[in-house]
Amino acid sequence: MVEPSTASQNQSLTSSPTPEQLSDIKAQLDLVLMALEALVGVGSEAILNTAKRLQLDGLMGDRVSLWRLRQSSPLRKGQGRKKLDVDEARALVMVACDLAQQHQTAIRDAVAKLEEVTAADQPPHRAAILGDYLDRFSNTYQERMEAGETVSTDQLSQLALRLLIDLLLYGAAGGSRRLWVALMDRSRPAS
Amino acid sequence: MTERASQQQRYSAPTCTLEITGQSSAISQWAGQLVLKGVRFRLWIHPVGEGSAAEHEVLRGDRRQLETLTETVQTYVQRQLVASGSGAVEQTTATNAGDQSFSLRPEGLTRHRLVMASQPGAASHTGTARHSDEASGGVVLSSLQLADLATVIDQFETSAITLPPLETVQQRRRRWWTGRNSIGSAAAVLIMTVGVATVVPRVLRDGPVSETLEQATPEAVGEGDAALPADRAEEAAPEIDETETKTDGPTADQLPEPAAVEPDTSTATPKREAETDTADSRPQSAPPSQAASPTPRSPADRASSPPAARVESPGTAASRSAQSADLPDSGPESASESGPESASAPQAPPQDAAPDNSAASGLATFEGSADSRDRDIEPAAEAVPALGAAAEVSPAAVISAVEQWFSDRWQAQPDLDTSLAYELEIDGNGVLTRITPISSAALLENAPIDLPQVGTAIAPATGRDRATRLRLELRPDGQVIVSGG
């Protein structure tokens, strides 16, 4: 698989979102990182190391800054800095996609298992890898999100599985471009 | 620039392989990445977990189908990602391009049906993918296969550029010159107009209107032109405009070839001669068929098959002159400014068929060249000889004479499968200086005809320094076709 260069990734992230769009983008980015965290155990250390490798440590050089960036999601509990500028959003996109690429094997295994159980008409949590993923995601979401406890398990499972499949595309060639465009399209006001 | 050899690129993902075949373009060095032309692709989908051993070719096609597939897949994937955030699922993604369309639609969370609507000759659906559903049509892809398909497409897009078919410079030039409403057509029309404006006045002065000018010297003629009534001079301008207007309309295809106008004016000569009885002596010194059949030659004619350039019969020439009568009508007024050009008119009578010869001399000049460039500039050059004063045998007369010479000797050959074609070179004295076989049958030594020896006079003397090149075709049915150039 050909790895897209950092330069090409940077080039694709040229459209700047409006402040309104950024609120949804912050939430989306936080959820993508949450899915990675629930599936492969990506923690703050891995995120910071990736940011450093991508020369983005100026924007997220330590746990505090990283926490601040992720806390900007409007879905998150608690108060604090709720702002995310364009450069920070771009950095989160690049880091998330790079992490997805690093763990592409695990992601593919999970998706393959999901396809298998779905074809067999079985519930996803029957597969160990999926069961663990869904549990960790639900727990993390309910723990961190403002309305986490009001969201049903099925809704969370559905969200988690969608994010799992999205990770498959984010970790592929051109993933950062896809994620950025998807973030822009999702946050576009409905016409 | 030289093109490189065919190249094959393979882009692989765990469940998908995309093979691209094409010719590497020389402009790859400028693009900074591989540029391919004449692209064709093949797509294989591998069942999950079975590796490439169980791959199935699901699709193959050309560049256009590849672009359609790429757009469909990329758009569908992106819409899936967008829908993931909102919860809504995109039902169908379809892209139509020419005769091939693709559509992708989700079937559940992890299945996606790729449907190809093919027309005959379009990309073909080959083989049977593991998840193909023959009843519903198309191929069912898993999320992994879809992601891998998007991946290989992305890999290809980032590594290579596909070129659409490009028109060559020669094709563009040809279209530029010969296409409808092309600049070449406009240029030909303009040149024809100039030719008419210069040739026709001289021709018309041979009639009763110009009788008084025939005896004048060139300078005097010029003065006489200047002494033309002012109203006639004034009429020249609008008449010219009208002429140009008339000639702007026809396209290159409709024009009777630029050269046709000048000889047509000369073909008008016989008609006017009949009216005025002033040029009875003119054609007498010329070959009998010359006065009546100054067949026009044009770049198109020379480039066309021989039948298109056959020498016209006198009757045909007369009818053509009648048809072109409108054009010469504008000549006298427009030629009032021709000045020295008209000087040639009074000298014409003692010479051989002067006006048409003058016009035709231009044709003969270019009959000696088979170069396409010469054909392109012939219309302009043909206008120039109209200013000349040489009284020469027209090319049509030469062609007619050569045709007659061979017709007397060529008989139908039932055993012959194809025509015999030769290139003849005839000098200004009408003597054959070279005969070259140009068809395979003609190359046979036992060709059923006694060809003229070099040095044989087979045409009337033209008086020109340049040789005349003709194409001779001897048909199995006994026909003899001679064409210029």
Side-chain angles (χ1 to χ4, degrees):
Chain A
M1 183 184 301
V2 176
E3 292 189 3
S5 64
T6 302
S8 63
Q9 285 179 328
N10 284 334
Q11 259 185 341
S12 68
L13 310 179
T14 54
S15 55
S16 299
T18 62
E20 292 75 17
Q21 290 175 328
L22 275 174
S23 60
D24 283 334
I25 290 177
K26 289 181 286 185
Q28 297 296 327
L29 287 171
D30 187 38
L31 288 172
V32 171
L33 289 172
M34 191 179 296
L36 277 168
E37 187 178 342
L39 180 67
V40 294
V42 170
S44 301
E45 197 67 31
I47 295 174
L48 292 173
N49 289 338
T50 301
K52 187 176 182 180
R53 183 165 50 80
L54 298 177
Q55 299 178 350
L56 299 170
D57 49 342
L59 296 168
M60 52 180 87
D62 52 31
R63 293 175 184 271
V64 174
S65 57
L66 175 59
W67 175 86
R68 189 177 297 151
L69 292 178
R70 295 192 67 179
Q71 192 63 28
S72 62
S73 169
L75 301 177
R76 284 269 188 152
K77 289 179 181 177
Q79 300 299 317
R81 180 175 181 264
K82 295 293 183 181
K83 294 187 183 301
L84 188 73
D85 62 28
V86 172
D87 291 330
E88 291 167 341
R90 183 181 292 118
L92 285 174
V93 166
M94 295 176 62
V95 167
C97 290
D98 190 86
L99 286 169
Q101 192 176 28
Q102 291 179 37
H103 300 279
Q104 188 67 199
T105 303
I107 295 172
R108 294 183 67 92
D109 289 343
V111 173
K113 187 59 69 174
L114 177 61
E115 292 174 340
E116 185 180 320
V117 297
T118 303
D121 230 359
Q122 295 176 351
H125 66 266
R126 282 289 187 88
I129 185 172
L130 295 176
D132 291 343
Y133 167 68
L134 292 174
D135 287 343
R136 284 197 288 264
F137 184 88
S138 296
N139 293 337
T140 305
Y141 189 95
Q142 291 173 345
E143 177 184 322
R144 297 178 184 176
M145 301 306 177
E146 184 70 38
E149 295 178 1
T150 61
V151 181
S152 69
T153 305
D154 288 341
Q155 286 177 315
L156 286 176
S157 295
Q158 190 72 17
L159 176 60
L161 294 176
R162 293 285 332 176
L163 286 168
L164 175 63
I165 297 174
D166 292 348
L167 286 176
L168 183 66
L169 298 166
Y170 298 153
S176 58
R177 173 168 37 86
R178 290 202 180 96
L179 175 55
W180 187 258
V181 174
L183 292 174
M184 298 295 291
D185 289 344
R186 288 174 194 163
S187 59
R188 188 175 300 162
S191 57
Chain B
M1 288 185 178
T2 58
E3 302 296 343
R4 300 175 186 176
S6 176
Q7 289 206 2
Q8 191 180 78
Q9 304 283 329
R10 270 206 165 205
Y11 306 92
S12 295
T15 63
C16 182
T17 300
L18 176 65
E19 180 184 275
I20 305 295
T21 305
Q23 287 184 334
S24 173
S25 173
I27 63 175
S28 298
Q29 59 181 316
W30 312 117
Q33 62 181 117
L34 182 63
V35 179
L36 295 174
K37 50 189 291 186
V39 168
R40 295 199 64 84
F41 76 97
R42 298 172 70 185
L43 179 68
W44 291 269
I45 298 294
H46 321 305
V48 177
E50 294 186 19
S52 60
E55 65 182 21
H56 302 280
E57 181 180 309
V58 299
L59 195 65
R60 64 168 66 184
D62 60 13
R63 177 193 61 84
R64 194 169 61 176
Q65 281 97 35
L66 176 61
E67 289 180 352
T68 306
L69 174 66
T70 297
E71 184 179 348
T72 303
V73 171
Q74 301 286 38
T75 303
Y76 178 77
V77 166
Q78 205 59 43
R79 288 181 178 177
Q80 283 288 307
L81 293 174
V82 174
S84 175
S86 64
V89 177
E90 191 69 22
Q91 296 299 315
T92 304
T93 300
T95 303
N96 294 318
D99 55 2
Q100 182 73 48
S101 66
F102 291 89
S103 68
L104 266 170
R105 64 174 184 268
E107 291 185 353
L109 186 62
T110 60
R111 287 163 59 90
H112 315 272
R113 182 175 296 278
L114 173 65
V115 178
M116 297 143 284
S118 302
Q119 296 297 327
S124 59
H125 177 206
T126 62
T128 53
R130 182 178 181 180
H131 299 291
S132 67
D133 185 339
E134 296 297 336
S136 303
V139 176
V140 176
L141 304 175
S142 66
S143 293
L144 285 175
Q145 291 169 334
L146 176 65
D148 289 342
L149 175 58
T151 296
V152 296
I153 287 175
D154 205 80
Q155 291 174 6
F156 165 67
E157 288 187 319
T158 55
S159 68
I161 298 173
T162 56
L163 279 184
L166 299 175
E167 202 174 28
T168 63
V169 173
Q170 289 79 4
Q171 291 168 344
R172 206 158 43 241
R173 283 180 183 167
R174 199 172 302 125
R175 183 168 51 83
W176 190 71
W177 277 108
T178 61
R180 288 178 179 274
N181 301 321
S182 66
I183 295 178
S185 300
V189 166
L190 179 61
I191 292 165
M192 178 178 62
T193 304
V194 172
V196 170
T198 54
V199 170
V200 170
R202 226 170 352 96
V203 172
L204 294 180
R205 285 199 192 89
D206 294 334
V209 175
S210 59
E211 274 187 42
T212 57
L213 300 176
E214 290 180 3
Q215 303 302 323
T217 62
E219 293 77 11
V221 169
E223 295 172 358
D225 286 339
L228 280 175
D231 56 345
R232 288 194 65 194
E234 290 172 359
E235 290 174 11
E239 287 297 328
I240 292 175
D241 291 338
E242 289 175 10
T243 302
E244 292 175 351
T245 302
K246 288 177 186 176
T247 52
D248 278 344
T251 64
D253 293 335
Q254 297 169 354
L255 287 172
E257 296 87 26
V261 178
E262 295 177 60
D264 281 343
T265 63
S266 63
T267 59
T269 301
K271 179 182 177 181
R272 294 186 182 278
E273 291 174 359
E275 293 173 356
T276 63
D277 293 330
T278 58
D280 289 341
S281 62
R282 200 177 309 120
Q284 290 176 358
S285 58
S289 60
Q290 174 263 325
S293 58
T295 304
R297 286 289 178 265
S298 70
D301 256 353
R302 291 186 182 83
S304 63
S305 57
R310 298 192 66 179
V311 178
E312 295 176 354
S313 64
T316 305
S319 63
R320 290 189 64 189
S321 66
Q323 292 172 359
S324 61
D326 289 340
L327 289 173
D329 287 340
S330 62
E333 291 76 16
S334 62
S336 62
E337 304 171 358
S338 60
E341 291 85 341
S342 59
S344 65
Q347 299 179 3
Q351 300 172 7
D352 295 334
D356 53 344
N357 289 337
S358 303
S361 63
L363 296 171
T365 301
F366 289 92
E367 283 179 344
S369 171
D371 192 295
S372 59
R373 280 183 307 175
D374 290 340
R375 289 199 292 270
D376 287 341
I377 62 175
E378 272 170 338
E382 283 164 352
V384 174
L387 307 177
E392 300 170 345
V393 174
S394 69
V398 174
I399 292 173
S400 177
V402 172
E403 196 171 275
Q404 187 64 45
W405 195 96
F406 282 93
S407 294
D408 293 340
R409 295 162 177 78
W410 176 249
Q411 297 177 352
Q413 303 290 333
D415 296 332
L416 199 61
D417 295 331
T418 181
S419 300
L420 308 179
Y422 302 87
E423 185 180 78
L424 310 177
E425 191 171 293
I426 303 171
D427 64 12
N429 296 322
V431 174
L432 179 68
T433 57
R434 189 176 67 179
I435 177 167
T436 308
I438 57 178
S439 70
S440 56
L443 289 170
L444 297 174
E445 294 182 357
N446 54 343
I449 183 173
D450 293 328
L451 296 172
Q453 299 293 321
V454 171
T456 305
I458 62 173
T462 60
R464 293 188 301 272
D465 294 333
R466 292 181 62 179
T468 300
R469 285 186 186 167
L470 303 176
R471 185 179 186 275
L472 168 68
E473 183 181 352
L474 306 173
R475 294 190 167 180
D477 60 359
Q479 277 188 321
V480 174
I481 309 295
V482 178
S483 59

